[in-house]
């Protein structure tokens, strides 16, 4: 047990204590500078009844999480399977290429995308060359959410490609070879052999991607600033603004706890349903 001590101590200091402190702060009107005032559940009541931006940010977060997770997993799974069939040095080259955005700074990537997607940015200039008038990517609500999702996919999809690729590489080659001998083509082999054996890895990627999607912050902060209006304002961005722009740490802590409970409930539902589609038979 002594070897668990450092880990448990770090977990207590950096996870448990901040959780408890934020729960305490959430029942106070706590300015960044000044004396806190106990308000009970008033922050939570205001969130549900008096803050329309909360419901807008919650809706935006749900839309982002659903679309981002679905497209991310579908494309990453397809690319992983393609890389498995490609093999050789080209497969290694493309894995590195897809993973590079994951390790580059999120803020820097978002600022580059912002320059590219401006009304007179390089994307609209390229479209104009072929006679297409590009939309206002960052100034129209629908296009702004689309841009946010595309930028996030470019940044984060490489992680799932690597994980799913490792899962595919772990499938017993004799099983794949037997399916080839039986005449199964690439599509049939994917849906009848690879996908069922890959469900534990897909389940892991789903859990991590959903949690990451609900925590989205840097992309809307740097790319759209939550706009136009509140069209891309997310829960974490709303939390940040209340805490550090509006000087309302108590309300920001209440938002953090609602987000925490929401993510825990969704994760619990995912675990409760995994037996319906995840198989651990090898």
């Amino acid at each position: 047990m002594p070897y668990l001590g450092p880990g448990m101590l770090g977990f207590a200091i950096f996870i448990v204590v901040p959780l408890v402190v934020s729960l305490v702060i959430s029942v106070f009107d706590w300015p960044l500078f000044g004396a806190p005032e106990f308000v009970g559940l008033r922050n939570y009541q205001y969130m549900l009844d008096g803050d329309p931006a909360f419901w807008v940010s919650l809706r935006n977060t749900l839309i982002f999480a659903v679309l981002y997770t679905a497209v991310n997993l579908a494309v990453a799974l397809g690319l992983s399977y393609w890389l498995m069939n490609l093999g050789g040095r080209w497969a290694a080259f493309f894995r590195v290429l897809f993973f590079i955005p994951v390790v580059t700074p999120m803020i820097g990537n978002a600022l580059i995308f912002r320059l590219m997607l401006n009304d007179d940015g390089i994307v609209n200039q390229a479209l104009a060359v072929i006679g297409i008038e590009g939309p206002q990517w960052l100034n129209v609500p629908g296009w702004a959410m689309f841009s946010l999702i595309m930028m996030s996919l470019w940044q984060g999809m490489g992680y799932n490609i690597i994980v799913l690729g490792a899962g595919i590489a772990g499938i017993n080659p004799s099983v794949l070879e037997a399916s080839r001998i039986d005449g199964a083509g690439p599509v049939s082999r994917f849906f009848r052999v690879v996908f069922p054996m890959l469900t534990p890895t897909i389940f892991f990627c789903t859990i991590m991607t959903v949690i990451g999607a609900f925590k989205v912050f840097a992309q809307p902060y740097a790319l759209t600033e939550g706009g136009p209006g509140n069209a891309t304002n997310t829960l974490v961005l709303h939390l940040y603004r209340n805490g550090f722009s509006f000087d309302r740490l108590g309300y920001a802590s209440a938002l953090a706890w609602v987000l925490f409970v929401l993510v825990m409930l969704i994760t619990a539902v995912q675990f409760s349903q995994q037996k319906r589609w995840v198989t651990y038979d090898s």
Side-chain angles (χ1 to χ4, degrees):
M1 292 300 291
Y3 57 87
L4 292 178
M8 296 299 293
L9 182 63
F11 179 77
I13 293 176
F14 295 109
I15 302 296
V16 177
V17 172
L19 274 174
V20 174
V21 171
S22 69
L23 182 61
V24 172
I25 294 176
S26 72
V27 295
F28 282 84
D29 180 10
W30 197 308
L32 194 58
F33 301 102
E37 176 188 357
F38 180 75
V39 295
L41 298 178
R42 197 180 304 167
N43 284 328
Y44 294 94
Q45 292 173 348
Y46 173 73
M47 184 191 311
L48 298 176
D49 295 334
D51 183 12
F54 165 73
W55 294 107
V56 174
S57 61
L58 177 60
R59 182 201 62 191
N60 293 338
T61 305
L62 291 173
I63 292 173
F64 175 86
V66 171
L67 295 178
Y68 172 75
T69 302
V71 178
N72 188 329
L73 291 176
V75 177
L77 186 57
L79 288 174
S80 300
Y81 187 58
W82 172 66
L83 291 174
M84 182 198 75
N85 289 296
L86 183 63
R89 294 182 177 179
W90 279 110
F93 169 76
F94 281 113
R95 286 193 183 96
V96 173
L97 188 65
F98 290 135
F99 194 72
I100 286 176
V102 179
V103 296
T104 54
M106 180 76 76
I107 291 292
N109 290 334
L111 292 176
I112 291 173
F113 266 75
R114 186 170 181 172
L115 292 174
M116 292 171 58
L117 295 174
N118 276 335
D119 294 349
D120 57 350
I122 189 172
V123 174
N124 280 352
Q125 291 180 17
L127 291 174
V129 171
I130 57 176
I132 298 176
E133 183 181 356
Q136 294 180 309
W137 298 99
L138 305 179
N139 297 317
V140 175
W143 284 115
M145 178 59 76
F146 176 82
S147 303
L148 186 66
I149 293 172
M150 289 299 105
M151 184 263 155
S152 301
L153 286 171
W154 182 83
Q155 172 89 40
M157 197 166 55
Y159 176 81
N160 280 345
I161 291 175
I162 295 298
V163 174
L164 291 169
I168 292 174
I171 297 176
N172 191 338
S174 62
V175 177
L176 299 175
E177 186 60 28
S179 67
R180 290 191 184 94
I181 294 174
D182 289 342
V187 176
S188 176
R189 189 162 59 247
F190 174 78
F191 285 105
R192 295 179 180 274
V193 179
V194 174
F195 186 84
M197 300 185 73
L198 199 60
T199 49
T201 309
I202 297 173
F203 176 67
F204 169 78
C205 290
T206 304
I207 294 289
M208 300 305 293
T209 305
V210 168
I211 292 175
F214 272 89
K215 295 191 301 180
V216 62
F217 165 71
Q219 298 95 315
Y221 177 76
L223 184 65
T224 62
E225 298 179 349
N230 279 320
T232 55
N233 190 18
T234 62
L235 273 178
V236 179
L237 181 57
H238 189 50
L239 182 160
Y240 170 82
R241 284 174 169 166
N242 275 279
F244 300 102
S245 298
F246 307 148
D247 197 22
R248 305 171 64 186
L249 294 181
Y251 185 57
S253 296
L255 285 167
W257 263 93
V258 168
L259 176 63
F260 172 73
V261 172
L262 181 62
V263 172
M264 290 296 292
L265 286 176
I266 292 174
T267 304
V269 170
Q270 289 179 289
F271 270 96
S272 68
Q273 298 299 312
Q274 66 166 320
K275 290 183 180 178
R276 295 178 179 272
W277 65 282
V278 178
T279 175
Y280 292 96
D281 295 333
S282 58

